[in-house]
Amino acid sequence: MTIPACRVYEDLDALEVDVAEVPLKNNVAISLEDNFIALDPSRCRTEQTRCTVLAHEAGHFISGAFYPLQCPYAIRQQAEYRAFAASVHRYLSADEIAKAFQDGCTEAWQLAEYFGLEEEYIKKALHYWTECRGVDFNDL
């Protein structure tokens, strides 16, 4: 069960968010509050990277987690966390992870292949569900 980019694109389309592929100096992608994502395809070497980046950026629109460029670091980090959490709820729910475990995917790299997302994102999602939300995957 992978999360193809088209599913993320469908969500962004439903939210009326445009995605433009443009070269960026310091970022893989940037979400702008006026329903626009700039994505640098040269920084997305794999489809897993592209899906992970788009899932996170979609999280900004799902959660409304935006910030001005000149805002303090703490506010920026809060918005990034809210966007991450929203993307995890949408694209990597606890139930979907439990299903993957039942299908024999128990290592982060296996889950990354299963979901078509980057391993680091999977690790952060597992931490989010177990440590921040108290999910015990043995009980699901």
Side-chain angles (χ1 to χ4, degrees):
M1 170 190 183
T2 60
I3 306 218
C6 62
R7 180 172 164 196
V8 179
Y9 276 114
E10 288 169 4
D11 287 349
L12 292 170
D13 189 49
L15 293 166
E16 299 182 355
V17 175
D18 292 319
V19 178
E21 294 184 352
V22 296
L24 299 170
K25 277 188 173 182
N26 300 313
N27 299 71
V28 177
I30 299 171
S31 289
L32 302 173
E33 214 169 344
D34 60 346
N35 292 5
F36 184 80
I37 295 173
L39 172 73
D40 188 341
S42 71
R43 296 176 185 253
C44 297
R45 302 210 185 275
T46 66
E47 187 62 22
Q48 283 180 310
T49 300
R50 184 183 191 88
C51 284
T52 302
V53 168
L54 287 173
H56 174 80
E57 297 305 321
H60 282 284
F61 293 96
I62 293 166
S63 66
F66 296 98
Y67 52 88
L69 293 176
Q70 292 76 22
C71 75
Y73 179 76
I75 292 171
R76 182 175 295 167
Q77 288 306 104
Q78 288 172 350
E80 290 297 333
Y81 179 80
R82 283 181 39 221
F84 168 75
S87 72
V88 167
H89 280 267
R90 175 69 178 121
Y91 302 109
L92 204 56
S93 72
D95 289 339
E96 289 173 322
I97 293 172
K99 169 81 169 82
F101 284 164
Q102 291 171 354
D103 289 347
C105 298
T106 57
E107 301 293 329
W109 67 268
Q110 292 170 318
L111 293 166
E113 287 182 6
Y114 184 88
F115 288 107
L117 298 165
E118 290 185 323
E119 186 175 346
E120 280 305 307
Y121 179 81
I122 298 292
K123 288 177 181 178
K124 284 176 60 178
L126 290 170
H127 174 82
Y128 172 81
W129 285 119
T130 59
E131 301 300 318
C132 302
R133 293 292 177 241
V135 173
D136 183 351
F137 288 105
N138 295 318
D139 289 341
L140 296 180

